[in-house]
Amino acid sequence: MENKIKLTVVTPVRCFYENFVSSVTLPSFDGEIGIMAGHSPLVFALSPGIAHIRIDSEISHFVVSEGYVEVNPKMVLVVCDSAEWPDQIDVQRMVEAYIESRDNLKNDRDSDKRSIIADANARKAGYVKDNVKSLSRARARVHIIESYGTEAQKDRKSTRLNSSHSSP
């Protein structure tokens, strides 16, 4: 395990992944961060996106939601709201979530209710922020299916989005 680093990915409901890896690349709000054994200590916010794991010459991909990452020279700990392999993603649910979050965000931006009172604006800002997060998670799932999903998943995604007259 000399040139490997232990990667642990946990969600509120399970330990999603635990193994020694050659490297891992994770999405952050400042871009992708690549980590290998011996990396300097680091803590950063995880953004919704695609994570890439390399074990020797084999590369795997999974989607993560928001969370945080703690790195030291021998270990990477990812704590996130959710993590999924491409084959675990329900394409129908993914498309519905994408369309709903996109439409909710558009409706929030089009709403005139923001100027009523300061407290309402604060509540509204929190709601808009949640819709932005929902749309980011949905886009990450769409992207992983487009990039690494099976042909059947890609076909279902295209059919569902086209039938709703929407596109990511």
Side-chain angles (χ1 to χ4, degrees):
M1 300 299 160
E2 183 177 304
N3 290 323
K4 305 248 172 135
I5 189 166
K6 185 173 185 179
L7 171 64
T8 304
V9 180
V10 295
T11 71
V13 295
R14 67 184 172 140
C15 180
F16 172 77
Y17 185 85
E18 188 168 32
N19 200 1
F20 285 89
V21 301
S22 303
S23 68
V24 60
T25 303
L26 298 165
S28 80
F29 289 99
D30 294 325
E32 291 188 332
I33 297 178
I35 303 160
M36 298 171 62
H39 197 287
S40 300
L42 175 68
V43 174
F44 64 91
L46 185 69
S47 68
I50 299 175
H52 311 277
I53 300 171
R54 186 172 62 82
I55 300 176
D56 300 324
S57 62
E58 185 178 321
I59 299 175
S60 301
H61 315 275
F62 61 94
V63 67
V64 293
S65 65
E66 43 293 290
Y68 77 90
V69 179
E70 180 182 345
V71 179
N72 70 44
K74 295 181 180 185
M75 177 221 46
V76 177
L77 173 63
V78 177
V79 178
C80 57
D81 291 337
S82 66
E84 298 170 286
W85 298 107
D87 62 354
Q88 294 174 328
I89 295 174
D90 179 327
V91 174
Q92 180 176 344
R93 192 180 114 240
M94 174 197 75
V95 170
E96 289 169 359
Y98 173 80
I99 292 168
E100 180 182 352
S101 59
R102 185 202 57 208
D103 291 348
N104 285 343
L105 188 59
K106 182 182 183 318
N107 291 338
D108 287 340
R109 288 183 176 154
D110 293 342
S111 174
D112 293 331
K113 296 178 184 176
R114 293 186 196 165
S115 59
I116 298 174
I117 58 173
D119 286 345
N121 285 341
R123 284 193 303 274
K124 187 68 172 175
Y127 181 66
V128 170
K129 188 175 182 182
D130 288 344
N131 284 331
V132 170
K133 285 182 180 180
S134 294
L135 185 58
S136 294
R137 287 189 298 268
R139 283 183 176 156
R141 286 185 176 103
V142 168
H143 182 66
I144 199 165
I145 293 301
E146 290 173 343
S147 300
Y148 306 108
T150 65
E151 289 305 314
Q153 285 177 312
K154 291 175 186 178
D155 289 343
R156 282 195 304 273
K157 179 202 84 67
S158 295
T159 301
R160 296 278 183 196
L161 281 174
N162 290 340
S163 69
S164 68
H165 305 293
S166 305
S167 63

